Amino acid sequence: MAQEDIFKKLVAHCKEYGYVFPSSEIYDGLGAVYDYGQHGVELKNNIKRYWWDSMILLHENVVGLDSAIFMHPTTWKASGHVDAFNDPLIDNKDSKKRYRADVLIEEHVAKYEEKAEKEIEKARERFGDRFDEPLFRQTNPRVAAHLEKRDALVARLSAALNANDLAELRQIIIDNQIVCPVSGTCNWTEVRQFNLMFATEMGSTAEGASKIYLRPETAQGIFVNFLNVQKSGRMKIPFGIAQIGKAFRNEIIARQFIFRVREFEQMEMQFFVPPGSGIEWFHRWKKLRMQWHQALGFGAACYRFHDHDKLAHYADAATDIEYRFPFGFKEVEGIHSRTDFDLRRHQEFSGKKMQYFDPGLNESYIPHVVETSIGVDRMFLQIISAAYREETIDDGETRVLLALPPALAPVKLSVLPLVKKDGLPEKAREIIQQLRLDCRCLYDEKDSIGKRYRRQDAIGTPFCVTVDHLSLEENTVTIRHRDTMQQERVSIDRLPGIIEEKTSLKTLLRRLDAI
Ligand code: ATP
């Protein structure tokens, strides 16, 4: 099945099974805003807990913060967002559709990459075990030609973005004959800058009200509180501050479901280090963050780093962790070495010292910062894309399965009485009573056992427990494993231990800690 069709099915599945709904759907929705349903909110909370605990519990020198969404407007002047948080937009005159000029070009870059990959795949099939990929990459003229074109385009795009040259961006689109996917034409407007921050007013009267912004990132709340946390917590550098919270961006193009939305949540950590050690810490966090992703068990081949050619105005090194979504490799998380840019600017704009006295060095300095920044919604989409499967099983039937990492699954266990009589429902309820403070359990007695299994597979429940007549005599149940569909008979007394071992966040964190 084409990746596009799989993606459409995934979106429909999220709605049907209470994961994600379009916002205000009864009014036909609101562009790029989504609500999370009964299972979605649980998955989201579990993702946040995995991130939070991995930061706060596994790192003695990382502490939390919850700063307000509204901040003093000067914050955004100091951070550079008022002047520079822009996207270059371009319209197609025939379809009237609007695009980000840089994204149109990046998608064209990806096409060259895809062409090269296709050549490599063909050769792999042809040569089988004898295939030497590095050699083929170096010597095949067609692969070399595609990659050369890709590199030239990347270099031209970086130069245009760095120089803020909007006319050149348009020229790149024209020269490469990049067409609008809707109209198929190359009839483009000029490129214009568009600021992504939402503004509103604070205060009750029109004259007295002042313009403030909905934060476009959570990081600035951390910077302005740097000294509050450092002093009140008697923190010694190096240390980090972690925060989870809402952010808002008036994205020009918001497609691909929850990948790019206008209201989203970020999980950000700013790590404060002595001047001169930013790059070393950048490499350490790069490794740690990739381990965090890979501990979920979807396979290392789904991830890659994309080091930036074009650095943001505040960074001296930057990389993205990309995941292979059904629509290609895309950013899930950014890791940036932000130098002392933010603290220095806040010192300048506020007139307050943002310095740390280092007792080891016996001197004061503005710390440098390494940031890790990941979107909860994008991580949600990453997980659900990786987990979604359609399988044909033995009897020729198909099942739709969400193979979620057990620690993140919204429901850990479903308890199913074989029949609705003979005391089996009561026994099932007893089991839930025993486990409900440890994990989220569901009770289901409707339809055949097979249908009930399918329903739980679609939700992603790792374990189903069936209560039958033997359960009353022997105090045992059958436990069915979601991914293998294998069943085993176990004593009810062992259930809490099995469920805890397989589904608790602690197990996942232990695995991460041991890497
Ligand atoms: P992009 O290039 O995709 O616009 P970005 O580089 O601007 O993203 P950052 O500012 O580095 O993104 O934000 C850090 C993380 O926040 C991203 O890696 C992503 O996971 C998340 N994020 C950013 N913008 C959005 C959005 N509009 N919707 C959902 N998540 C977002």
PDB file of all heavy atoms in Angstrom, residues 85 100 217 249 251 258-262 264-266 268 308 314 320 331-334 336 371 373-379, ligand 1:
ATOM      1  N   PHE A  85      11.573  36.113  13.631  1.00  0.00           N
ATOM      2  CA  PHE A  85      10.882  34.817  13.634  1.00  0.00           C
ATOM      3  C   PHE A  85       9.905  34.772  12.458  1.00  0.00           C
ATOM      4  O   PHE A  85       8.682  34.789  12.612  1.00  0.00           O
ATOM      5  CB  PHE A  85      10.162  34.592  14.962  1.00  0.00           C
ATOM      6  CG  PHE A  85       9.746  33.168  15.182  1.00  0.00           C
ATOM      7  CD1 PHE A  85      10.652  32.127  15.050  1.00  0.00           C
ATOM      8  CD2 PHE A  85       8.453  32.847  15.523  1.00  0.00           C
ATOM      9  CE1 PHE A  85      10.275  30.807  15.242  1.00  0.00           C
ATOM     10  CE2 PHE A  85       8.052  31.530  15.723  1.00  0.00           C
ATOM     11  CZ  PHE A  85       8.983  30.512  15.574  1.00  0.00           C
ATOM     12  N   ARG A 100       5.547  27.674   2.074  1.00  0.00           N
ATOM     13  CA  ARG A 100       6.809  28.211   2.574  1.00  0.00           C
ATOM     14  C   ARG A 100       7.824  27.985   1.474  1.00  0.00           C
ATOM     15  O   ARG A 100       8.033  26.839   1.057  1.00  0.00           O
ATOM     16  CB  ARG A 100       7.223  27.456   3.837  1.00  0.00           C
ATOM     17  CG  ARG A 100       7.000  28.264   5.092  1.00  0.00           C
ATOM     18  CD  ARG A 100       7.246  27.444   6.295  1.00  0.00           C
ATOM     19  NE  ARG A 100       8.668  27.149   6.502  1.00  0.00           N
ATOM     20  CZ  ARG A 100       9.128  26.516   7.567  1.00  0.00           C
ATOM     21  NH1 ARG A 100       8.300  26.117   8.512  1.00  0.00           N
ATOM     22  NH2 ARG A 100      10.420  26.278   7.705  1.00  0.00           N
ATOM     23  N   GLU A 217       7.776  29.574  21.744  1.00  0.00           N
ATOM     24  CA  GLU A 217       8.636  28.494  22.260  1.00  0.00           C
ATOM     25  C   GLU A 217       8.660  28.634  23.773  1.00  0.00           C
ATOM     26  O   GLU A 217       8.397  29.720  24.307  1.00  0.00           O
ATOM     27  CB  GLU A 217      10.060  28.602  21.696  1.00  0.00           C
ATOM     28  CG  GLU A 217      10.780  29.881  22.087  1.00  0.00           C
ATOM     29  CD  GLU A 217      12.239  29.928  21.654  1.00  0.00           C
ATOM     30  OE1 GLU A 217      12.595  29.313  20.647  1.00  0.00           O
ATOM     31  OE2 GLU A 217      13.027  30.580  22.355  1.00  0.00           O
ATOM     32  N   ARG A 249       2.296  28.962  17.123  1.00  0.00           N
ATOM     33  CA  ARG A 249       2.926  29.545  15.924  1.00  0.00           C
ATOM     34  C   ARG A 249       1.892  29.619  14.820  1.00  0.00           C
ATOM     35  O   ARG A 249       1.203  28.627  14.550  1.00  0.00           O
ATOM     36  CB  ARG A 249       4.096  28.671  15.437  1.00  0.00           C
ATOM     37  CG  ARG A 249       5.232  28.644  16.413  1.00  0.00           C
ATOM     38  CD  ARG A 249       6.416  27.842  15.881  1.00  0.00           C
ATOM     39  NE  ARG A 249       7.395  27.680  16.944  1.00  0.00           N
ATOM     40  CZ  ARG A 249       8.541  27.042  16.834  1.00  0.00           C
ATOM     41  NH1 ARG A 249       8.869  26.492  15.674  1.00  0.00           N
ATOM     42  NH2 ARG A 249       9.375  26.950  17.851  1.00  0.00           N
ATOM     43  N   GLU A 251       1.541  29.112  11.752  1.00  0.00           N
ATOM     44  CA  GLU A 251       2.213  28.452  10.630  1.00  0.00           C
ATOM     45  C   GLU A 251       1.508  28.777   9.317  1.00  0.00           C
ATOM     46  O   GLU A 251       0.282  28.774   9.253  1.00  0.00           O
ATOM     47  CB  GLU A 251       2.206  26.932  10.836  1.00  0.00           C
ATOM     48  CG  GLU A 251       2.935  26.460  12.079  1.00  0.00           C
ATOM     49  CD  GLU A 251       4.446  26.418  11.906  1.00  0.00           C
ATOM     50  OE1 GLU A 251       4.936  26.748  10.817  1.00  0.00           O
ATOM     51  OE2 GLU A 251       5.136  26.056  12.883  1.00  0.00           O
ATOM     52  N   ILE A 258      -1.033  16.252  12.704  1.00  0.00           N
ATOM     53  CA  ILE A 258      -0.469  16.946  13.862  1.00  0.00           C
ATOM     54  C   ILE A 258       1.031  17.189  13.734  1.00  0.00           C
ATOM     55  O   ILE A 258       1.679  17.577  14.695  1.00  0.00           O
ATOM     56  CB  ILE A 258      -0.778  16.187  15.172  1.00  0.00           C
ATOM     57  CG1 ILE A 258      -0.352  14.718  15.067  1.00  0.00           C
ATOM     58  CG2 ILE A 258      -2.241  16.298  15.524  1.00  0.00           C
ATOM     59  CD1 ILE A 258      -0.447  13.961  16.375  1.00  0.00           C
ATOM     60  N   PHE A 259       1.594  16.982  12.551  1.00  0.00           N
ATOM     61  CA  PHE A 259       3.030  17.235  12.384  1.00  0.00           C
ATOM     62  C   PHE A 259       3.327  18.723  12.583  1.00  0.00           C
ATOM     63  O   PHE A 259       4.286  19.094  13.251  1.00  0.00           O
ATOM     64  CB  PHE A 259       3.492  16.794  10.989  1.00  0.00           C
ATOM     65  CG  PHE A 259       4.958  17.029  10.757  1.00  0.00           C
ATOM     66  CD1 PHE A 259       5.892  16.137  11.239  1.00  0.00           C
ATOM     67  CD2 PHE A 259       5.406  18.154  10.079  1.00  0.00           C
ATOM     68  CE1 PHE A 259       7.252  16.356  11.056  1.00  0.00           C
ATOM     69  CE2 PHE A 259       6.749  18.387   9.887  1.00  0.00           C
ATOM     70  CZ  PHE A 259       7.678  17.480  10.381  1.00  0.00           C
ATOM     71  N   ARG A 260       2.519  19.575  11.956  1.00  0.00           N
ATOM     72  CA  ARG A 260       2.741  21.020  12.073  1.00  0.00           C
ATOM     73  C   ARG A 260       1.412  21.669  12.430  1.00  0.00           C
ATOM     74  O   ARG A 260       0.515  21.753  11.608  1.00  0.00           O
ATOM     75  CB  ARG A 260       3.269  21.572  10.748  1.00  0.00           C
ATOM     76  CG  ARG A 260       3.720  23.007  10.834  1.00  0.00           C
ATOM     77  CD  ARG A 260       4.236  23.503   9.500  1.00  0.00           C
ATOM     78  NE  ARG A 260       5.364  22.737   8.990  1.00  0.00           N
ATOM     79  CZ  ARG A 260       6.604  22.787   9.490  1.00  0.00           C
ATOM     80  NH1 ARG A 260       6.869  23.585  10.489  1.00  0.00           N
ATOM     81  NH2 ARG A 260       7.563  22.059   8.978  1.00  0.00           N
ATOM     82  N   VAL A 261       1.298  22.082  13.667  1.00  0.00           N
ATOM     83  CA  VAL A 261       0.038  22.654  14.134  1.00  0.00           C
ATOM     84  C   VAL A 261       0.271  24.063  14.677  1.00  0.00           C
ATOM     85  O   VAL A 261       1.411  24.476  14.858  1.00  0.00           O
ATOM     86  CB  VAL A 261      -0.602  21.745  15.214  1.00  0.00           C
ATOM     87  CG1 VAL A 261      -1.361  20.610  14.587  1.00  0.00           C
ATOM     88  CG2 VAL A 261       0.429  21.231  16.195  1.00  0.00           C
ATOM     89  N   ARG A 262      -0.824  24.769  14.912  1.00  0.00           N
ATOM     90  CA  ARG A 262      -0.665  26.167  15.338  1.00  0.00           C
ATOM     91  C   ARG A 262      -0.613  26.283  16.868  1.00  0.00           C
ATOM     92  O   ARG A 262      -0.095  27.256  17.388  1.00  0.00           O
ATOM     93  CB  ARG A 262      -1.789  27.010  14.736  1.00  0.00           C
ATOM     94  CG  ARG A 262      -1.705  27.015  13.217  1.00  0.00           C
ATOM     95  CD  ARG A 262      -2.497  28.119  12.559  1.00  0.00           C
ATOM     96  NE  ARG A 262      -2.099  28.247  11.163  1.00  0.00           N
ATOM     97  CZ  ARG A 262      -2.840  27.862  10.119  1.00  0.00           C
ATOM     98  NH1 ARG A 262      -4.055  27.360  10.304  1.00  0.00           N
ATOM     99  NH2 ARG A 262      -2.384  28.007   8.892  1.00  0.00           N
ATOM    100  N   PHE A 264       0.643  23.866  20.022  1.00  0.00           N
ATOM    101  CA  PHE A 264       1.283  22.584  20.297  1.00  0.00           C
ATOM    102  C   PHE A 264       2.017  22.641  21.633  1.00  0.00           C
ATOM    103  O   PHE A 264       2.036  23.680  22.292  1.00  0.00           O
ATOM    104  CB  PHE A 264       2.228  22.176  19.161  1.00  0.00           C
ATOM    105  CG  PHE A 264       3.303  23.187  18.849  1.00  0.00           C
ATOM    106  CD1 PHE A 264       4.615  22.990  19.270  1.00  0.00           C
ATOM    107  CD2 PHE A 264       3.023  24.331  18.125  1.00  0.00           C
ATOM    108  CE1 PHE A 264       5.618  23.915  18.980  1.00  0.00           C
ATOM    109  CE2 PHE A 264       4.019  25.273  17.831  1.00  0.00           C
ATOM    110  CZ  PHE A 264       5.304  25.064  18.260  1.00  0.00           C
ATOM    111  N   GLU A 265       2.571  21.500  22.010  1.00  0.00           N
ATOM    112  CA  GLU A 265       3.331  21.464  23.261  1.00  0.00           C
ATOM    113  C   GLU A 265       4.786  21.149  22.968  1.00  0.00           C
ATOM    114  O   GLU A 265       5.071  20.340  22.086  1.00  0.00           O
ATOM    115  CB  GLU A 265       2.761  20.391  24.192  1.00  0.00           C
ATOM    116  CG  GLU A 265       1.732  20.936  25.143  1.00  0.00           C
ATOM    117  CD  GLU A 265       1.197  19.850  26.056  1.00  0.00           C
ATOM    118  OE1 GLU A 265       0.473  18.980  25.566  1.00  0.00           O
ATOM    119  OE2 GLU A 265       1.510  19.867  27.246  1.00  0.00           O
ATOM    120  N   GLN A 266       5.651  21.782  23.735  1.00  0.00           N
ATOM    121  CA  GLN A 266       7.082  21.496  23.574  1.00  0.00           C
ATOM    122  C   GLN A 266       7.651  20.935  24.869  1.00  0.00           C
ATOM    123  O   GLN A 266       7.143  21.229  25.960  1.00  0.00           O
ATOM    124  CB  GLN A 266       7.833  22.787  23.245  1.00  0.00           C
ATOM    125  CG  GLN A 266       7.641  23.257  21.823  1.00  0.00           C
ATOM    126  CD  GLN A 266       8.527  24.437  21.502  1.00  0.00           C
ATOM    127  OE1 GLN A 266       8.604  25.374  22.289  1.00  0.00           O
ATOM    128  NE2 GLN A 266       9.194  24.409  20.363  1.00  0.00           N
ATOM    129  N   GLU A 268      11.269  21.143  26.417  1.00  0.00           N
ATOM    130  CA  GLU A 268      12.568  21.773  26.149  1.00  0.00           C
ATOM    131  C   GLU A 268      13.441  21.724  27.389  1.00  0.00           C
ATOM    132  O   GLU A 268      12.957  21.844  28.517  1.00  0.00           O
ATOM    133  CB  GLU A 268      12.377  23.228  25.722  1.00  0.00           C
ATOM    134  CG  GLU A 268      11.623  23.349  24.413  1.00  0.00           C
ATOM    135  CD  GLU A 268      11.812  24.695  23.738  1.00  0.00           C
ATOM    136  OE1 GLU A 268      11.334  25.699  24.289  1.00  0.00           O
ATOM    137  OE2 GLU A 268      12.420  24.739  22.653  1.00  0.00           O
ATOM    138  N   HIS A 308      22.722  20.992  10.671  1.00  0.00           N
ATOM    139  CA  HIS A 308      22.289  22.183   9.924  1.00  0.00           C
ATOM    140  C   HIS A 308      23.425  22.858   9.176  1.00  0.00           C
ATOM    141  O   HIS A 308      24.504  23.043   9.733  1.00  0.00           O
ATOM    142  CB  HIS A 308      21.725  23.234  10.892  1.00  0.00           C
ATOM    143  CG  HIS A 308      20.381  22.861  11.409  1.00  0.00           C
ATOM    144  ND1 HIS A 308      19.467  23.785  11.829  1.00  0.00           N
ATOM    145  CD2 HIS A 308      19.791  21.650  11.577  1.00  0.00           C
ATOM    146  CE1 HIS A 308      18.374  23.155  12.238  1.00  0.00           C
ATOM    147  NE2 HIS A 308      18.557  21.859  12.095  1.00  0.00           N
ATOM    148  N   TYR A 314      21.142  32.448  16.718  1.00  0.00           N
ATOM    149  CA  TYR A 314      21.690  32.288  18.066  1.00  0.00           C
ATOM    150  C   TYR A 314      22.625  31.078  18.192  1.00  0.00           C
ATOM    151  O   TYR A 314      23.187  30.849  19.256  1.00  0.00           O
ATOM    152  CB  TYR A 314      20.544  32.124  19.079  1.00  0.00           C
ATOM    153  CG  TYR A 314      19.517  31.093  18.653  1.00  0.00           C
ATOM    154  CD1 TYR A 314      19.809  29.735  18.703  1.00  0.00           C
ATOM    155  CD2 TYR A 314      18.266  31.479  18.174  1.00  0.00           C
ATOM    156  CE1 TYR A 314      18.892  28.789  18.297  1.00  0.00           C
ATOM    157  CE2 TYR A 314      17.337  30.534  17.767  1.00  0.00           C
ATOM    158  CZ  TYR A 314      17.647  29.196  17.834  1.00  0.00           C
ATOM    159  OH  TYR A 314      16.740  28.270  17.424  1.00  0.00           O
ATOM    160  N   ASP A 320      19.164  18.159  13.817  1.00  0.00           N
ATOM    161  CA  ASP A 320      17.806  17.664  14.057  1.00  0.00           C
ATOM    162  C   ASP A 320      17.888  16.153  14.175  1.00  0.00           C
ATOM    163  O   ASP A 320      18.671  15.510  13.471  1.00  0.00           O
ATOM    164  CB  ASP A 320      16.875  17.947  12.858  1.00  0.00           C
ATOM    165  CG  ASP A 320      16.689  19.428  12.636  1.00  0.00           C
ATOM    166  OD1 ASP A 320      16.839  20.194  13.603  1.00  0.00           O
ATOM    167  OD2 ASP A 320      16.380  19.800  11.481  1.00  0.00           O
ATOM    168  N   GLU A 331      12.041  16.290  10.789  1.00  0.00           N
ATOM    169  CA  GLU A 331      12.497  16.636  12.146  1.00  0.00           C
ATOM    170  C   GLU A 331      11.473  16.287  13.230  1.00  0.00           C
ATOM    171  O   GLU A 331      10.297  16.589  13.091  1.00  0.00           O
ATOM    172  CB  GLU A 331      12.773  18.143  12.196  1.00  0.00           C
ATOM    173  CG  GLU A 331      13.018  18.651  13.598  1.00  0.00           C
ATOM    174  CD  GLU A 331      13.255  20.163  13.670  1.00  0.00           C
ATOM    175  OE1 GLU A 331      13.460  20.798  12.627  1.00  0.00           O
ATOM    176  OE2 GLU A 331      13.230  20.681  14.796  1.00  0.00           O
ATOM    177  N   VAL A 332      11.987  15.668  14.297  1.00  0.00           N
ATOM    178  CA  VAL A 332      11.164  15.441  15.486  1.00  0.00           C
ATOM    179  C   VAL A 332      11.703  16.293  16.635  1.00  0.00           C
ATOM    180  O   VAL A 332      10.966  16.799  17.463  1.00  0.00           O
ATOM    181  CB  VAL A 332      11.191  13.954  15.911  1.00  0.00           C
ATOM    182  CG1 VAL A 332      10.390  13.745  17.186  1.00  0.00           C
ATOM    183  CG2 VAL A 332      10.643  13.074  14.827  1.00  0.00           C
ATOM    184  N   GLU A 333      13.030  16.437  16.640  1.00  0.00           N
ATOM    185  CA  GLU A 333      13.667  17.150  17.755  1.00  0.00           C
ATOM    186  C   GLU A 333      14.844  17.967  17.245  1.00  0.00           C
ATOM    187  O   GLU A 333      15.548  17.536  16.332  1.00  0.00           O
ATOM    188  CB  GLU A 333      14.153  16.104  18.784  1.00  0.00           C
ATOM    189  CG  GLU A 333      15.028  16.689  19.867  1.00  0.00           C
ATOM    190  CD  GLU A 333      15.090  15.836  21.119  1.00  0.00           C
ATOM    191  OE1 GLU A 333      14.572  14.696  21.100  1.00  0.00           O
ATOM    192  OE2 GLU A 333      15.649  16.304  22.114  1.00  0.00           O
ATOM    193  N   GLY A 334      15.034  19.132  17.853  1.00  0.00           N
ATOM    194  CA  GLY A 334      16.197  19.952  17.502  1.00  0.00           C
ATOM    195  C   GLY A 334      17.148  20.019  18.688  1.00  0.00           C
ATOM    196  O   GLY A 334      16.714  20.115  19.832  1.00  0.00           O
ATOM    197  N   HIS A 336      20.485  22.275  19.840  1.00  0.00           N
ATOM    198  CA  HIS A 336      21.209  23.478  19.425  1.00  0.00           C
ATOM    199  C   HIS A 336      22.231  23.887  20.469  1.00  0.00           C
ATOM    200  O   HIS A 336      21.936  23.818  21.664  1.00  0.00           O
ATOM    201  CB  HIS A 336      20.253  24.660  19.247  1.00  0.00           C
ATOM    202  CG  HIS A 336      19.074  24.353  18.385  1.00  0.00           C
ATOM    203  ND1 HIS A 336      17.781  24.510  18.802  1.00  0.00           N
ATOM    204  CD2 HIS A 336      19.004  23.869  17.121  1.00  0.00           C
ATOM    205  CE1 HIS A 336      16.966  24.143  17.835  1.00  0.00           C
ATOM    206  NE2 HIS A 336      17.668  23.746  16.806  1.00  0.00           N
ATOM    207  N   GLU A 371      20.634  23.360  24.042  1.00  0.00           N
ATOM    208  CA  GLU A 371      19.189  23.160  24.162  1.00  0.00           C
ATOM    209  C   GLU A 371      18.757  21.878  23.457  1.00  0.00           C
ATOM    210  O   GLU A 371      19.242  21.571  22.368  1.00  0.00           O
ATOM    211  CB  GLU A 371      18.490  24.347  23.495  1.00  0.00           C
ATOM    212  CG  GLU A 371      17.064  24.070  23.088  1.00  0.00           C
ATOM    213  CD  GLU A 371      16.459  25.219  22.300  1.00  0.00           C
ATOM    214  OE1 GLU A 371      15.884  26.102  22.938  1.00  0.00           O
ATOM    215  OE2 GLU A 371      16.571  25.235  21.064  1.00  0.00           O
ATOM    216  N   SER A 373      15.108  20.340  22.160  1.00  0.00           N
ATOM    217  CA  SER A 373      13.739  20.830  22.006  1.00  0.00           C
ATOM    218  C   SER A 373      12.929  19.882  21.133  1.00  0.00           C
ATOM    219  O   SER A 373      13.267  19.633  19.977  1.00  0.00           O
ATOM    220  CB  SER A 373      13.804  22.208  21.355  1.00  0.00           C
ATOM    221  OG  SER A 373      12.512  22.632  21.038  1.00  0.00           O
ATOM    222  N   ILE A 374      11.851  19.356  21.709  1.00  0.00           N
ATOM    223  CA  ILE A 374      11.060  18.365  20.986  1.00  0.00           C
ATOM    224  C   ILE A 374       9.581  18.681  21.163  1.00  0.00           C
ATOM    225  O   ILE A 374       9.154  19.119  22.228  1.00  0.00           O
ATOM    226  CB  ILE A 374      11.427  16.933  21.480  1.00  0.00           C
ATOM    227  CG1 ILE A 374      10.483  15.884  20.886  1.00  0.00           C
ATOM    228  CG2 ILE A 374      11.442  16.810  22.970  1.00  0.00           C
ATOM    229  CD1 ILE A 374      10.939  14.458  21.160  1.00  0.00           C
ATOM    230  N   GLY A 375       8.809  18.486  20.106  1.00  0.00           N
ATOM    231  CA  GLY A 375       7.371  18.739  20.166  1.00  0.00           C
ATOM    232  C   GLY A 375       6.637  17.483  20.615  1.00  0.00           C
ATOM    233  O   GLY A 375       6.887  16.394  20.098  1.00  0.00           O
ATOM    234  N   VAL A 376       5.736  17.639  21.581  1.00  0.00           N
ATOM    235  CA  VAL A 376       4.982  16.476  22.077  1.00  0.00           C
ATOM    236  C   VAL A 376       4.097  15.912  20.958  1.00  0.00           C
ATOM    237  O   VAL A 376       4.029  14.704  20.738  1.00  0.00           O
ATOM    238  CB  VAL A 376       4.076  16.865  23.274  1.00  0.00           C
ATOM    239  CG1 VAL A 376       3.292  15.646  23.767  1.00  0.00           C
ATOM    240  CG2 VAL A 376       4.883  17.468  24.402  1.00  0.00           C
ATOM    241  N   ASP A 377       3.445  16.830  20.221  1.00  0.00           N
ATOM    242  CA  ASP A 377       2.505  16.400  19.186  1.00  0.00           C
ATOM    243  C   ASP A 377       3.235  15.662  18.061  1.00  0.00           C
ATOM    244  O   ASP A 377       2.752  14.665  17.529  1.00  0.00           O
ATOM    245  CB  ASP A 377       1.776  17.618  18.622  1.00  0.00           C
ATOM    246  CG  ASP A 377       1.213  18.483  19.737  1.00  0.00           C
ATOM    247  OD1 ASP A 377       2.010  19.152  20.443  1.00  0.00           O
ATOM    248  OD2 ASP A 377       0.007  18.473  19.935  1.00  0.00           O
ATOM    249  N   ARG A 378       4.413  16.181  17.719  1.00  0.00           N
ATOM    250  CA  ARG A 378       5.183  15.540  16.646  1.00  0.00           C
ATOM    251  C   ARG A 378       5.709  14.184  17.100  1.00  0.00           C
ATOM    252  O   ARG A 378       5.764  13.229  16.337  1.00  0.00           O
ATOM    253  CB  ARG A 378       6.324  16.461  16.228  1.00  0.00           C
ATOM    254  CG  ARG A 378       6.677  16.259  14.801  1.00  0.00           C
ATOM    255  CD  ARG A 378       7.643  17.288  14.327  1.00  0.00           C
ATOM    256  NE  ARG A 378       7.032  18.522  13.882  1.00  0.00           N
ATOM    257  CZ  ARG A 378       7.709  19.496  13.291  1.00  0.00           C
ATOM    258  NH1 ARG A 378       9.000  19.367  13.085  1.00  0.00           N
ATOM    259  NH2 ARG A 378       7.091  20.593  12.891  1.00  0.00           N
ATOM    260  N   MET A 379       6.074  14.104  18.376  1.00  0.00           N
ATOM    261  CA  MET A 379       6.536  12.832  18.930  1.00  0.00           C
ATOM    262  C   MET A 379       5.372  11.837  18.967  1.00  0.00           C
ATOM    263  O   MET A 379       5.551  10.640  18.695  1.00  0.00           O
ATOM    264  CB  MET A 379       7.065  13.096  20.356  1.00  0.00           C
ATOM    265  CG  MET A 379       7.706  11.910  20.993  1.00  0.00           C
ATOM    266  SD  MET A 379       9.179  11.369  20.090  1.00  0.00           S
ATOM    267  CE  MET A 379       9.370   9.731  20.775  1.00  0.00           C
TER     268      MET A 379
HETATM  269  P1  ATP B   1      10.220  23.298  11.531  1.00  0.00           P
HETATM  270  O1  ATP B   1      11.499  23.492  10.767  1.00  0.00           O
HETATM  271  O2  ATP B   1       9.572  21.955  11.329  1.00  0.00           O
HETATM  272  O3  ATP B   1       9.263  24.446  11.418  1.00  0.00           O
HETATM  273  P2  ATP B   1      11.601  24.328  13.764  1.00  0.00           P
HETATM  274  O4  ATP B   1      12.999  24.015  13.393  1.00  0.00           O
HETATM  275  O5  ATP B   1      11.075  25.695  13.607  1.00  0.00           O
HETATM  276  O6  ATP B   1      10.611  23.281  13.060  1.00  0.00           O
HETATM  277  P3  ATP B   1      12.048  24.389  16.543  1.00  0.00           P
HETATM  278  O7  ATP B   1      11.805  25.831  16.680  1.00  0.00           O
HETATM  279  O8  ATP B   1      13.447  23.882  16.628  1.00  0.00           O
HETATM  280  O9  ATP B   1      11.356  23.846  15.223  1.00  0.00           O
HETATM  281  O10 ATP B   1      11.124  23.626  17.580  1.00  0.00           O
HETATM  282  C1  ATP B   1      11.525  22.463  18.265  1.00  0.00           C
HETATM  283  C2  ATP B   1      10.539  21.339  18.100  1.00  0.00           C
HETATM  284  O11 ATP B   1       9.202  21.781  18.326  1.00  0.00           O
HETATM  285  C3  ATP B   1      10.496  20.757  16.679  1.00  0.00           C
HETATM  286  O12 ATP B   1      11.511  19.796  16.525  1.00  0.00           O
HETATM  287  C4  ATP B   1       9.122  20.132  16.638  1.00  0.00           C
HETATM  288  O13 ATP B   1       9.136  18.851  17.247  1.00  0.00           O
HETATM  289  C5  ATP B   1       8.308  21.067  17.501  1.00  0.00           C
HETATM  290  N1  ATP B   1       7.534  21.999  16.675  1.00  0.00           N
HETATM  291  C6  ATP B   1       7.937  23.181  16.165  1.00  0.00           C
HETATM  292  N2  ATP B   1       6.959  23.764  15.471  1.00  0.00           N
HETATM  293  C7  ATP B   1       5.888  22.934  15.544  1.00  0.00           C
HETATM  294  C8  ATP B   1       4.556  22.969  15.039  1.00  0.00           C
HETATM  295  N3  ATP B   1       4.112  23.998  14.337  1.00  0.00           N
HETATM  296  N4  ATP B   1       3.747  21.924  15.303  1.00  0.00           N
HETATM  297  C9  ATP B   1       4.169  20.871  16.037  1.00  0.00           C
HETATM  298  N5  ATP B   1       5.401  20.789  16.546  1.00  0.00           N
HETATM  299  C10 ATP B   1       6.257  21.796  16.317  1.00  0.00           C
END
